[in-house]
């Protein structure tokens, strides 16, 4: 019975017929297949001022075309964040986003860059065409907390909102920074566990 195995000579001939691939390309191919290629976080380009129409990606993140800035000194409720007001869950993050969206109607929006955050995104003080400071307005309406280490003057506006129980100060909420790190109000954690149990 004839053997079905190919001879070494035939194998070598076939191997020579296959174009050789660069070693680096082969290595990259394997890395992509295994998901081993690390993602590189690219820092935003440096610029001093942005002006023009803008849209709100989040309550405190504005986008000018392909350029984004975060508000300096004001940390707003995150877009999908929920708070408790009078014992009821409210979409405070969506409300904060709507406030910013409304303020952006008065164009042009002008942002003066003051620094960069840990993600290398530009942070700026932004005003609309009426001269309204967007970060300050969010704080006054109780839709953002102040970061005095960046803008000391914002602390007074936060104290006013807190004393008047404006916005989220009328109930319970998680500091936006802690919320981004995964911390949630107990009631919302219970809701998530209940939903997972009912699946």
């Amino acid at each position: 019975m004839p053997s079905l195995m190919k001879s070494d000579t035939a194998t070598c001939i076939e191997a020579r017929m296959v174009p050789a691939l660069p070693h680096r390309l082969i290595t990259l191919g394997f890395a992509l297949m295994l998901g081993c290629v690390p993602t590189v976080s690219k820092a935003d380009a440096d610029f001093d001022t942005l002006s023009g129409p803008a849209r709100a990606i989040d309550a405190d993140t504005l986008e000018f075309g392909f350029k984004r800035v975060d508000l300096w000194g004001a940390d707003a409720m995150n877009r999908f964040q929920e708070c408790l007001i009078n014992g009821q869950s409210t979409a405070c993050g969506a409300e904060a986003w709507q406030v910013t969206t409304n303020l952006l109607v008065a164009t042009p929006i002008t942002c003066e860059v003051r620094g960069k955050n840990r993600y290398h995104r530009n942070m700026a003080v932004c005003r609309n065409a009426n001269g309204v400071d967007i970060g300050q307005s969010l704080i006054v309406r109780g839709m953002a907390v102040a970061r005095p280490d960046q803008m000391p003057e914002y602390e007074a506006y936060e104290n006013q909102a807190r004393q008047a129980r404006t916005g989220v100060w009328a109930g319970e909420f998680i500091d936006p920074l802690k919320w981004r790190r995964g911390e949630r109000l107990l009631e919302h954690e219970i809701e998530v566990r209940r939903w997972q149990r009912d699946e």
Side-chain angles (χ1 to χ4, degrees), residues 113-177:
V113 176
R114 299 291 182 89
K116 286 192 175 183
N117 62 15
R118 58 182 295 188
Y119 304 107
H120 309 290
R121 181 176 293 165
N122 290 288
M123 302 188 72
V125 175
C126 300
R127 295 178 173 83
N128 65 13
N130 298 325
V132 176
D133 182 329
I134 295 172
Q136 176 184 312
S137 185
L138 285 165
I139 294 171
V140 168
R141 299 179 191 211
M143 292 289 112
V145 297
R147 299 299 183 211
D149 57 317
Q150 297 174 353
M151 288 286 282
E153 55 267 42
Y154 282 174
E155 189 170 21
Y157 297 112
E158 180 185 293
N159 289 336
Q160 292 174 11
R162 188 196 302 263
Q163 292 170 7
R165 296 180 61 80
T166 303
V168 298
W169 297 108
E172 299 176 62
F173 69 96
I174 298 295
D175 184 286
L177 178 60

Side-chain angles (χ1 to χ4, degrees), residues 65-94:
F66 294 103
K67 298 177 179 178
R68 290 186 181 184
V69 293
D70 287 338
L71 296 181
W72 177 261
D75 200 349
M77 302 300 112
N78 297 277
R79 190 165 180 177
F80 299 105
Q81 184 170 350
E82 294 184 340
C83 305
L84 288 177
I85 307 294
N86 296 324
Q88 299 295 318
S89 182
T90 64
C92 55

Side-chain angles (χ1 to χ4, degrees), residues 6 9-21:
K6 292 183 180 180
T9 303
T11 303
C12 291
I13 291 173
E14 289 183 2
R16 284 196 295 269
M17 293 174 65
V18 179
L21 293 175

